Amino acid sequence: MLTIKNLKARVEDKEILKGINLEVRAGEIHAIMGPNGSGKSTLASVLAGREDFEVTEGSVEFLGNDLLDMAPEDRAREGVFLAFQYPVEIPGVSTTNFLKTALNQIRQHRGQDPLDAVSFLKLMKEKMKLVEIDQSLINRSLNEGFSGGEKKRNEIFQLAMLEPKLAILDETDSGLDIDALRIVANGVNKLKTKDNATIVVTHYQRLLEYIIPDYVHVLYNGRIVKSGTKELALELEEKGYDWIKDTTATTV
Amino acid sequence: MSKDNKILEEFTKSDYKYGFESNIESDSAPKGLNEDIIRFISSKKEEPAWLLEWRLKAYHHWLTMVEPRWPNVKFPAINYQDIIYYAAPKQKAKPKSLDEVDPELLDTFKKLGISLEEQKRLTGVAVDAVLDSVSVATTFKEKLADLGIIFCSFSEAVHKHPELVKKYMGSVVPISDNYFAALNSAVFSDGSFCYIPKGVRCPMELSTYFRINAANTGQFERTLIIAEEGSYVSYLEGCTAPMRDENQLHAAVVELYAAKDAEIKYSTVQNWYPGDREGRGGIYNFVTKRGICAGERSKISWTQVETGSAITWKYPSCILKGDHSVGEFYSVAVTNNRQQADTGTKMIHLGKNTRSRIVSKGVSAGRSQNSYRGLVRVAKRADNARNFSQCDSLLMGDQCGAHTFPYIESDNKTAQIEHEATTSKIGEDQIFYCNQRGIADEDAIALIVNGYCKEVLNQLPMEFAVEAQKLLALTLEGSVG
């Protein structure tokens, strides 16, 4: 589904991604871990198409298309979803209204008719139940005055509504208490099918107790320095990131 | 170049969509202004002598006045002798139904998406269509007449209800009020008149579509709405104008009178030609709008969505004379390219326990200048007056300006006056967030701007709110390639 080859990216003069290679197939969950400043969020942003980063080398293929060649909205319409680490507030626009606009633009892209109000509401009810989100929250202005946990739950609700092929969760666990974490993780698990894939970007192993990854990659200093199965996450938790830093230092 | 700027650059390339000119023969006065022209207008309209006297008095007063220079707008001096003060579409007889109306005229409305038939059939709105100063079609009149409601052109009211016109005209905006009001009083061509009798709740939104048409014709509308004791009326005014090379002066006067327990809701969507990207052409919109809450517990509410005109100079105001009366002002003003807007309101608290609320949302883009100017005045005897003002500015790009000039004058210690103001920019983060959900740039901007203006748009009647949202989206359409 997603093939990243030797991806390099920089912001201004600073190179942040220094040659990422990653292959994600349908039905898989990948966790990308790493210490602060290792380039985790940059990778998520580059995949979503944020213009702050300049891709200098490498390629990203998504479902047979050149992802880097697409505008951010086209990536989204083709099925790339980014759950933001810091979702922005849009005053005066309810989550409902926002999602209706988004969903219908995605449908239009796929040559489908816009969803009528009744079907849309029905879909919303269904997904609200799935991710355990309250009606009052989605009637409010998007993310305005939301707590950290509410924002993250709203991201997962949007994920449920838009049904992307590839979901990238950028530090979705940060700022969540244990109950919110469980709800968010449950939502992600319920949405998993054999046809979609998830990339979980996280600093801590904690989230991976609830979302069980097929693969774990450790990102350090702009490169994936270690890949493995979920056991790698446990090992990291135990030994800390210094262990990775030390091992890479010796191998270089 | 940042993304914001890119978007804005494209934004400025979107052209005015209502730019066409319909070929309806005009019956015009020669250029210029003098007593003879005023006599010409008055005789064309077969007016009674008292009205001609009134016009002449206004004209002589106007001669003693000077253009206001305090607004935060710049424009070359207007040559008042180079303006045609009267133009009327030629028509053989007054139409009794739409079938008798000039088909080209109806076509003009259709181009604007304002089919009268549709309006009548679908929305139940009675439309008094004003094209170049003469009312062409008035609908639903009979239904309204059954309730004793008078809704007609100003000229018709002069002939059929002279006692009402004589009593109220100039009572809220006197001829000497300001330069442009005096000019209007001298040369006004036509407009709308509305009278709601005691205890009647007008069952439909009353609506007038204004349209400036013949080249070089100043448009001097005059509207008078009288709501008698315990009555209610909601009035809609919507405007579009064809593309034009030379600046056009528009100086309207709107007067509202609300008796005891009466309520008037006045909504405007204004989309006159704003001029081209360099600021050439476009309408000068110098309007005086004022309402008086004369009776106890009366209420006047102004809502405006201003997207057009090269220059807007407009302060819909409320005089809160009756005790417990309420005044409201909800405004969205969008300026782009070289547009200049100096708009706001005045809330004059005279009665006890009077309340007013001001919500102003300015959106500036391009190289435009957008000013809010508002006065809240509490008189000595206005015990327990309350005011809440909120003035927000949204900036797009770094070449536009947003200004806020709030004036507060209180002569009563029991007054409570609150003022809140914010300034913000549409962030790249917000646009990217929308992009990431599949929403393209221009839709993202429309969504964000509509959200920002929501509090005001919510005040508009349903059909009008939809139209206004479309207008905001249309203004922003083509903003991104």
Side-chain angles (χ1 to χ4, degrees):
Chain A
M1 177 182 285
L2 182 76
T3 309
I4 303 175
K5 280 184 186 156
N6 192 33
L7 182 66
K8 293 185 181 175
R10 66 177 180 197
V11 58
E12 282 156 15
D13 287 335
K14 193 168 186 278
E15 188 164 57
I16 298 179
L17 300 182
K18 299 173 180 172
I20 302 274
N21 291 289
L22 184 66
E23 174 84 38
V24 177
R25 285 173 292 264
E28 293 178 347
I29 295 179
H30 288 245
I32 294 180
M33 300 184 72
N36 291 330
S38 59
K40 302 189 301 285
S41 285
T42 301
L43 177 61
S45 294
V46 167
L47 293 177
R50 196 185 269 275
E51 285 186 359
D52 303 352
F53 303 97
E54 189 194 344
V55 174
T56 51
E57 223 181 301
S59 68
V60 180
E61 198 184 286
F62 176 66
L63 296 169
N65 295 313
D66 179 0
L67 189 73
L68 300 177
D69 199 35
M70 290 188 231
E73 61 269 28
D74 289 327
R75 299 180 194 202
R77 291 166 185 173
E78 287 290 327
V80 175
F81 181 96
L82 173 64
F84 285 77
Q85 183 177 4
Y86 304 109
V88 298
E89 301 184 355
I90 306 186
V93 179
S94 66
T95 302
T96 311
N97 189 11
F98 177 72
L99 276 176
K100 199 168 179 195
T101 308
L103 189 65
N104 283 335
Q105 293 218 350
I106 291 171
R107 289 179 66 89
Q108 193 185 356
H109 180 75
R110 294 179 186 155
Q112 295 167 311
D113 287 333
L115 220 51
D116 63 70
V118 177
S119 318
F120 181 78
L121 283 177
K122 198 173 153 231
L123 182 70
M124 249 186 17
K125 284 253 154 62
E126 189 186 304
K127 303 294 186 185
M128 273 162 53
K129 221 170 146 187
L130 194 75
V131 300
E132 300 175 51
I133 196 168
D134 199 62
Q135 177 83 44
S136 63
L137 203 61
I138 61 174
N139 287 346
R140 280 162 57 184
S141 287
L142 188 63
N143 293 324
E144 197 183 31
F146 283 25
S147 70
E150 286 171 335
K151 283 183 183 173
K152 296 301 171 71
R153 275 161 79 168
N154 191 280
E155 292 291 292
I156 301 305
F157 173 62
Q158 293 183 38
L159 170 69
M161 285 295 290
L162 301 178
E163 298 180 318
K165 295 196 181 73
L166 175 67
I168 303 162
L169 312 183
D170 187 9
E171 307 263 8
T172 297
D173 51 333
S174 67
L176 290 188
D177 61 35
I178 198 75
D179 292 327
L181 187 72
R182 194 177 294 131
I183 290 169
V184 163
N186 278 343
V188 173
N189 289 329
K190 284 181 200 162
L191 293 167
K192 198 196 160 196
T193 69
K194 63 178 173 37
D195 299 318
N196 62 25
T198 309
I199 296 175
V200 182
V201 175
T202 181
H203 185 84
Y204 300 105
Q205 186 267 343
R206 194 176 67 150
L207 179 64
L208 305 180
E209 286 173 21
Y210 300 97
I211 302 174
I212 312 294
D214 298 299
Y215 300 96
V216 174
H217 310 278
V218 181
L219 191 63
Y220 176 64
N221 199 15
R223 287 192 188 89
I224 289 175
V225 293
K226 212 169 178 62
S227 293
T229 55
K230 63 179 183 200
E231 280 73 29
L232 177 59
L234 292 169
E235 202 174 348
L236 267 177
E237 183 81 358
E238 199 182 308
K239 297 182 179 169
Y241 284 113
D242 285 343
W243 165 61
I244 291 293
K245 290 177 191 172
D246 293 342
T247 49
T248 51
T250 51
T251 53
V252 168
Chain B
M1 187 162 51
S2 82
K3 192 168 181 180
D4 270 8
N5 285 342
K6 249 191 281 172
I7 289 165
L8 288 172
E9 176 135 309
E10 305 283 349
F11 182 2
T12 54
K13 286 178 191 156
S14 84
D15 287 320
Y16 185 72
K17 297 238 161 156
Y18 292 148
F20 52 85
E21 189 178 333
S22 51
N23 282 318
I24 297 169
E25 241 182 294
S26 275
D27 179 5
S28 301
K31 273 185 186 175
L33 183 56
N34 52 46
E35 273 201 22
D36 289 343
I37 292 289
I38 291 165
R39 287 177 200 281
F40 172 84
I41 295 169
S42 194
S43 82
K44 270 278 174 196
K45 303 178 75 62
E46 298 165 18
E47 285 175 355
W50 64 266
L51 189 51
L52 175 62
E53 287 308 312
W54 196 81
R55 285 177 181 275
L56 290 172
K57 199 173 147 202
Y59 170 67
H60 287 293
H61 193 85
W62 178 74
L63 288 175
T64 68
M65 301 171 93
V66 287
E67 262 180 20
R69 281 290 162 196
W70 48 264
N72 186 27
V73 299
K74 290 189 186 81
F75 57 93
I78 298 170
N79 181 355
Y80 290 91
Q81 296 305 329
D82 197 36
I83 292 172
I84 294 169
Y85 286 88
Y86 181 81
K90 272 186 181 165
Q91 280 187 337
K92 286 171 194 92
K94 289 254 174 188
K96 289 187 185 67
S97 74
L98 289 178
D99 304 338
E100 297 175 28
V101 173
D102 188 333
E104 191 173 349
L105 196 64
L106 293 178
D107 197 47
T108 302
F109 285 114
K110 276 183 193 137
K111 275 188 214 164
L112 291 170
I114 312 161
S115 146
L116 289 179
E117 304 93 305
E118 284 292 299
Q119 291 270 353
K120 279 204 292 188
R121 199 162 53 80
L122 294 174
T123 63
V125 171
V127 176
D128 177 22
V130 176
L131 190 113
D132 256 66
S133 326
V134 169
S135 298
V136 184
T138 304
T139 51
F140 278 91
K141 212 179 239 178
E142 284 165 30
K143 195 173 168 187
L144 293 172
D146 288 346
L147 291 164
I149 295 171
I150 303 166
F151 180 43
C152 62
S153 72
F154 204 92
S155 313
E156 193 179 334
V158 167
H159 291 286
K160 291 190 177 163
H161 311 282
E163 69 297 338
L164 287 172
V165 175
K166 224 172 169 172
K167 182 174 172 191
Y168 291 102
M169 183 174 69
S171 70
V172 189
V173 180
I175 51 171
S176 57
D177 189 79
N178 68 69
Y179 190 78
F180 298 110
L183 181 64
N184 175 289
S185 301
V187 301
F188 73 90
S189 38
D190 210 335
S192 293
F193 177 85
C194 180
Y195 176 84
I196 316 292
K198 190 174 168 180
V200 171
R201 201 180 159 84
C202 184
M204 61 188 86
E205 317 277 352
L206 299 182
S207 167
T208 304
Y209 283 92
F210 292 91
R211 198 171 155 81
I212 298 175
N213 208 272
N216 279 326
T217 306
Q219 177 110 347
F220 302 93
E221 300 286 346
R222 198 158 181 110
T223 298
L224 176 57
I225 298 174
I226 302 152
E228 291 284 24
E229 192 179 322
S231 68
Y232 168 84
V233 64
S234 170
Y235 187 89
L236 318 181
E237 176 199 86
C239 321
T240 55
M243 202 172 275
R244 179 92 33 243
D245 288 326
E246 280 171 70
N247 292 312
Q248 283 186 303
L249 177 62
H250 180 101
V253 169
V254 175
E255 294 178 284
L256 312 183
Y257 180 92
K260 189 179 161 191
D261 293 310
E263 181 177 348
I264 301 173
K265 205 172 150 59
Y266 192 106
S267 313
T268 306
V269 171
Q270 188 265 112
N271 183 30
W272 284 327
Y273 182 53
D276 67 11
R277 255 164 267 156
E278 297 307 316
R280 284 183 296 256
I283 307 292
Y284 289 179
N285 188 23
F286 302 151
V287 182
T288 307
K289 288 183 169 179
R290 193 176 302 150
I292 182 164
C293 286
E296 290 172 26
R297 291 176 303 275
S298 55
K299 180 177 175 181
I300 288 177
S301 182
W302 298 99
T303 304
Q304 61 175 22
V305 175
E306 306 277 322
T307 61
S309 298
I311 301 174
T312 299
W313 180 93
K314 180 181 172 187
Y315 315 90
S317 305
C318 298
I319 300 169
L320 303 170
K321 187 172 170 228
D323 292 346
H324 303 277
S325 61
V326 178
E328 292 177 335
F329 174 73
Y330 296 94
S331 169
V332 169
V334 183
T335 53
N336 188 13
N337 298 321
R338 299 271 183 166
Q339 275 177 283
Q340 305 174 73
D342 193 307
T343 184
T345 186
K346 288 187 219 169
M347 293 292 174
I348 313 294
H349 293 257
L350 301 177
K352 293 181 173 60
N353 301 304
T354 46
R355 283 178 292 139
S356 64
R357 183 179 172 82
I358 298 168
V359 178
S360 165
K361 303 273 183 179
V363 181
S364 357
R367 294 170 166 200
S368 67
Q369 295 294 328
N370 201 324
S371 304
Y372 166 82
R373 189 183 301 275
L375 168 68
V376 176
R377 197 169 128 204
V378 178
K380 221 169 201 166
R381 65 168 289 267
D383 294 338
N384 301 313
R386 301 263 186 286
N387 162 266
F388 173 77
S389 303
Q390 181 167 349
C391 305
D392 296 332
S393 305
L394 187 68
L395 296 159
M396 296 171 71
D398 50 14
Q399 295 185 61
C400 55
H403 316 268
T404 305
F405 303 99
Y407 302 84
I408 295 170
E409 295 168 10
S410 179
D411 290 328
N412 187 308
K413 282 179 186 161
T414 62
Q416 279 188 24
I417 298 167
E418 287 177 69
H419 182 93
E420 285 179 14
T422 67
T423 302
S424 53
K425 285 189 83 166
I426 289 191
E428 285 182 28
D429 282 355
Q430 285 176 321
I431 292 174
F432 180 70
Y433 190 87
C434 294
N435 288 161
Q436 214 301 307
R437 298 299 184 252
I439 303 169
D441 285 352
E442 65 184 37
D443 297 297
I445 292 175
L447 195 74
I448 295 164
V449 170
N450 271 310
Y452 164 79
C453 301
K454 192 177 169 192
E455 205 180 338
V456 174
L457 297 177
N458 279 350
Q459 295 297 323
L460 292 170
M462 192 60 180
E463 311 85 60
F464 229 34
V466 172
E467 198 173 302
Q469 280 192 22
K470 277 189 193 153
L471 184 61
L472 290 182
L474 194 77
T475 316
L476 303 160
E477 198 177 274
S479 56
V480 199

